[in-house]
Amino acid sequence: MMNENVFVTKNPAAEQSVAEKTADRAWRLSPDRCFAADPAQRTIARTLYAAVQDLPLIAPHGHVPPALLADPDARLGTPAELFIIPDHYILRMLYSQGVALEAMGASSTDDAAVERDHRRIWQRFVDHFHLFRATPTGLWLADELVNLFGVQERLTSESAQRIYDHLEARLAQPEFAPRALLDRFGIELLCTTDAATDALDHHRRLHADGLTHIRPTFRPDAVVNLDYPAWRQQIDALSAVAGIDVVDYTSYVRALEQRRAAFKALGALATDHAALTPYTARLSKDATDALFQRGLRGEANADDAANFTAHMLMEFARMSTEDGLVMQIHAGSLRNHNPNIFARFGADMGADIPLATEWTRNLRALLNAYGNDPRFRLILFTLDESSYSRELAPLAGHYPAVKLGPPWWFYDSVNGMRRYFEQVIETAGLYNTAGFNDDTRAFASIPSRHDVWRRVSCDWLAGLVVQGMLAEDEAAAMAYECAYGLAKAAYGAG
């Protein structure tokens, strides 16, 4: 007969208290993330960061849709709509691991079933969240979820639906409406990116509501790239919005100048140009009109498109000297590298891949014409890091017009920023750079992206102090410039 008083040994792990289990699930972000392990450097980095972490945000280049902020009643949608469906950073990683894009809510042109259940999309994302460890996307998401939305337990397959409920409840609250977050984020300047054919009605509404710190940016790519599939339709749209019958190169230039003036009237500070290469060349008026007419007839080839873009970059530089809009060039992305994805899902699905880019010869015509003009400002962005120290830093370190944009897209990361500082500053100096911009469509991630830049720049400066290359007060002044002053100066936002 069994003795009822026999002591039965149990597994201590199985007896873990509820409090301990809760503690194990707690999501805590290190206050020293992005800082070096060296104690001396980390201590200085903390001090520098504490002085700049709450400065207002200058966001002079990005892709937040102005409609989101123009409508006082707009909301950020479901957690899946906010964090997953529109984010090509997330989609490209999941696709690389065999997750079908339609399973993440991406609409396709074929008959594939698209997942409409946002909870399932969220669960599938969370099941793969480990893929984003040690990536900038993972860093931004963790900061958003913990510090903005107050998520307290780690994001796991088991916690996914509880966290979805928490996020859904937060997103329904008035303080998480886009306009409320705009104030909470401390954004002093936010520039959107708008097609040359945009009537800018959303920006007019923003200005009418007193939100004049939200500015449009003139993006003419769709009416410049002759090989763009809808180029002819875009020219018709340009004619309509400008009120000018665009029938030849002369009327085309007049229409573009008219649109730039409309953008500037609503506070625009800059233009933005995406080009496969930064090749620039001045063509004669007759040669340019011949290219334009071939485009109107649908007869332009790839060489025609490249030559027309090269000439138009020269023209846009000329316009900038006259109207004062800062010119930005984002070069070196081979768009839609995966034709199957483009055919089924369209653009901006994570299939854009960097190219090796040559700047010194390609930009020479433009810089010889306008690089010494005190009225002109040109900000350059690259996806080819090998050109930082070889070409871009020397160009910015010589031409008064040139500033270097921050690490962009694939290199908007902790190590990408460190490489940028190491390769650029010794030759160009800090004050020939343009500070930071987030370049994002993901509105809620803007503070997180700026926070990473501020942490990394402070850590880099702290390293220079430890090495005896900077005094602490010099590093503090440079930290302020990195966080705030450089971007404001580069875009004339003072």
Side-chain angles (χ1 to χ4, degrees):
M1 184 175 177
M2 182 178 291
N3 185 340
E4 293 180 358
N5 295 320
V6 172
F7 179 77
V8 178
T9 302
K10 297 182 179 180
N11 183 349
E15 294 295 300
Q16 188 179 31
S17 69
V18 173
E20 289 172 326
K21 290 179 180 178
T22 301
D24 286 346
R25 293 198 305 260
W27 201 354
R28 301 183 184 90
L29 304 184
S30 169
D32 292 324
R33 57 192 182 279
C34 309
F35 296 161
D38 174 70
Q41 182 171 336
R42 177 170 285 193
T43 297
I44 297 170
R46 287 171 178 163
T47 300
L48 296 174
Y49 173 69
V52 302
Q53 68 178 113
D54 294 324
L55 286 173
L57 301 185
I58 303 295
H61 173 71
H63 300 276
V64 173
L68 186 70
L69 298 167
D71 181 2
D73 298 322
R75 292 296 183 267
L76 294 173
T78 70
E81 288 172 318
L82 175 60
F83 291 103
I84 303 167
I85 296 172
D87 195 329
H88 61 88
Y89 287 83
I90 288 175
L91 296 180
R92 71 184 303 272
M93 178 66 82
L94 297 176
Y95 183 76
S96 76
Q97 288 289 308
V99 179
L101 294 179
E102 56 268 29
M104 303 310 298
S107 297
S108 63
T109 57
D110 55 27
D111 295 329
V114 176
E115 180 64 75
R116 304 296 183 189
D117 187 327
H118 288 194
R119 283 186 176 273
R120 288 185 178 179
I121 292 171
W122 177 261
Q123 186 69 53
R124 198 168 287 125
F125 161 66
V126 175
D127 290 344
H128 292 86
F129 189 59
H130 64 279
L131 299 176
F132 299 95
R133 291 171 181 163
T135 70
T137 301
L139 196 58
W140 301 328
L141 284 170
D143 186 63
E144 287 178 73
L145 291 169
V146 174
N147 291 323
L148 177 58
F149 289 97
V151 173
Q152 296 182 353
E153 62 177 320
R154 295 177 66 182
L155 191 59
T156 67
S157 294
E158 189 273 333
S159 68
Q161 295 306 315
R162 289 194 301 274
I163 291 175
Y164 190 97
D165 291 338
H166 172 87
L167 293 172
E168 195 172 47
R170 286 296 177 95
L171 289 167
Q173 296 170 355
E175 55 265 39
F176 285 87
R179 283 198 179 184
L181 289 176
L182 186 70
D183 293 335
R184 178 174 170 182
F185 291 166
I187 294 177
E188 183 176 311
L189 172 71
L190 176 67
C191 295
T192 64
T193 299
D194 311 271
T197 55
D198 195 313
L200 301 177
D201 291 337
H202 295 305
H203 279 279
R204 289 189 179 87
R205 182 170 182 178
L206 285 163
H207 277 233
D209 289 349
L211 299 175
T212 57
H213 60 305
I214 303 174
R215 315 284 188 93
T217 297
F218 180 78
R219 178 79 171 254
D221 299 343
V223 296
V224 171
N225 299 334
L226 297 183
D227 52 358
Y228 179 62
W231 181 81
R232 187 65 184 81
Q233 292 90 327
Q234 286 294 311
I235 295 301
D236 292 340
L238 178 64
S239 294
V241 73
I244 295 172
D245 192 12
V246 177
V247 296
D248 55 18
Y249 175 68
T250 299
S251 56
Y252 169 73
V253 169
R254 283 196 295 112
L256 290 173
E257 291 174 334
Q258 190 272 356
R259 295 308 301 147
R260 289 172 67 109
F263 274 68
K264 190 169 181 181
L266 285 168
L269 299 173
T271 70
D272 186 37
H273 310 268
L276 187 64
T277 76
Y279 171 55
T280 57
R282 174 73 72 188
L283 305 180
S284 70
K285 183 177 179 181
D286 288 344
T288 309
D289 191 56
L291 291 176
F292 189 79
Q293 295 299 333
R294 286 205 287 277
L296 290 178
R297 295 193 300 268
E299 298 171 357
N301 58 33
D303 288 340
D304 291 337
N307 288 325
F308 189 74
T309 297
H311 173 80
M312 287 310 301
L313 288 175
M314 296 286 289
E315 272 295 276
F316 288 128
R318 188 267 304 168
M319 294 178 198
S320 283
T321 65
E322 296 174 3
D323 64 21
L325 293 178
V326 175
M327 184 175 181
Q328 301 173 102
I329 297 179
H330 288 79
S333 177
L334 181 57
R335 310 275 175 168
N336 307 310
H337 192 276
N338 187 333
N340 295 329
I341 291 297
F342 180 66
R344 293 188 60 215
F345 298 97
D348 301 321
M349 298 303 293
D352 302 333
I353 307 297
L355 283 171
T357 304
E358 196 282 333
W359 294 87
T360 303
R361 292 184 178 88
N362 278 328
L363 270 186
R364 193 174 189 189
L366 187 150
L367 292 176
N368 281 347
Y370 304 107
N372 303 296
D373 193 321
R375 300 172 298 171
F376 183 51
R377 178 66 50 81
L378 175 65
I379 302 178
L380 302 176
F381 297 82
T382 190
L383 291 178
D384 179 5
E385 291 184 308
S386 71
S387 66
Y388 277 156
S389 58
R390 186 184 67 245
E391 299 176 53
L392 288 171
L395 286 170
H398 172 71
Y399 283 98
V402 177
K403 301 290 183 187
L404 295 190
W408 169 46
W409 202 339
F410 293 91
Y411 307 113
D412 183 7
S413 64
V414 173
N415 287 326
M417 293 170 186
R418 288 171 177 161
R419 291 190 296 267
Y420 174 84
F421 286 125
E422 290 170 358
Q423 295 180 55
V424 165
I425 303 305
E426 285 188 334
T427 299
L430 183 67
Y431 297 89
N432 283 320
T433 64
F436 182 70
N437 58 60
D438 49 80
D439 191 26
T440 187
R441 294 171 176 80
F443 176 64
S445 75
I446 289 176
S448 300
R449 293 169 188 250
H450 282 261
D451 186 66
V452 172
W453 169 263
R454 290 175 177 186
R455 288 174 178 275
V456 174
S457 60
C458 288
D459 186 65
W460 167 69
L461 291 164
L464 296 179
V465 173
V466 170
Q467 295 171 52
M469 297 176 66
L470 287 178
E472 288 196 39
D473 62 329
E474 293 174 318
M478 294 171 74
Y480 173 87
E481 296 294 350
C482 285
Y484 179 76
L486 290 171
K488 195 166 183 177
Y491 288 86

